[in-house]
Amino acid sequence: MNRLIALLFISTFFFTNAFAQPLNTATPQVMLKTAQEQLEKQDAFRALEWFDKYYDETKDTEVIPQMARLSMQLGDYKKAESYFSRYLKPRPNKRKKKELTEEQVEDFYDYGRSKKMNEKYEEAIVELEKYIARGKDPIKKELAQSE
């Protein structure tokens, strides 16, 4: 009888360990917090890495603008263009057209620059013209015109 109880106890212990979640995986909240801490430390590479992990886990589109800006800062223009297009391009299935935020308008400048760096010159001109028409920063407007 004692052997049966011991066997049952040991097998229960092994089965619970076999199906347990790994302890070394960060939760999405920890990923986001770590990304924000890396931003505060001005470590763009690690911040982008943690935002990317967070996005992969949650598909939270709120972090895409930050990921686009960090990719631009790091000189990864292909990724930057991809991220900018995800949140700046209007989607055909949206019924209501939302007004652009000031932040989105400012991002048209970097979106245009990312397209230029990826040798998509005609598309870059379109995005930079959107910035020139709506942007508020006179220095960026002048730079956009010269690009």
Side-chain angles (χ1 to χ4, degrees):
M1 184 69 169
N2 286 339
R3 286 185 181 177
L4 183 62
I5 292 173
L7 182 63
L8 184 62
F9 178 74
I10 291 171
S11 63
T12 304
F13 177 75
F14 283 115
F15 279 117
T16 56
N17 282 339
F19 294 107
Q21 292 289 328
L23 296 175
N24 60 355
T25 303
T27 64
Q29 294 80 10
V30 170
M31 292 175 189
L32 183 59
K33 185 177 183 215
T34 304
Q36 292 166 340
E37 287 171 356
Q38 295 304 315
L39 266 182
E40 289 173 13
K41 292 179 185 177
Q42 297 181 356
D43 187 349
F45 181 78
R46 286 205 170 73
L48 179 58
E49 185 177 56
W50 282 103
F51 277 124
D52 199 26
K53 288 178 184 180
Y54 173 77
Y55 178 77
D56 287 345
E57 189 74 25
T58 65
K59 302 299 182 217
D60 181 2
T61 58
E62 296 293 317
V63 297
I64 291 177
Q66 190 64 51
M67 293 167 66
R69 292 182 205 110
L70 287 169
S71 295
M72 250 337 252
Q73 184 180 342
L74 293 169
D76 190 346
Y77 302 114
K78 287 187 187 218
K79 259 188 170 179
E81 180 186 349
S82 172
Y83 291 137
F84 280 127
S85 72
R86 285 191 213 174
Y87 98 102
L88 289 177
K89 283 202 169 186
R91 301 287 176 231
N93 61 353
K94 300 259 179 170
R95 290 188 180 144
K96 243 183 167 176
K97 203 172 190 182
K98 290 184 190 175
E99 284 296 315
L100 294 172
T101 65
E102 190 173 319
E103 188 176 69
Q104 286 173 312
V105 170
E106 291 300 313
D107 284 335
F108 276 113
Y109 175 74
D110 283 330
Y111 186 31
R113 285 186 54 232
S114 69
K115 285 190 172 287
K116 178 187 172 197
M117 299 306 282
N118 290 324
E119 299 178 0
K120 297 177 181 176
Y121 302 114
E122 297 301 319
E123 294 175 27
I125 290 170
V126 171
E127 301 309 327
L128 290 168
E129 285 176 349
K130 288 178 186 176
Y131 179 76
I132 292 167
R134 299 176 183 151
K136 296 194 190 292
D137 186 341
I139 295 170
K140 273 189 181 176
K141 278 187 174 186
E142 190 176 317
L143 289 170
Q145 289 171 339
S146 68
E147 297 260 358

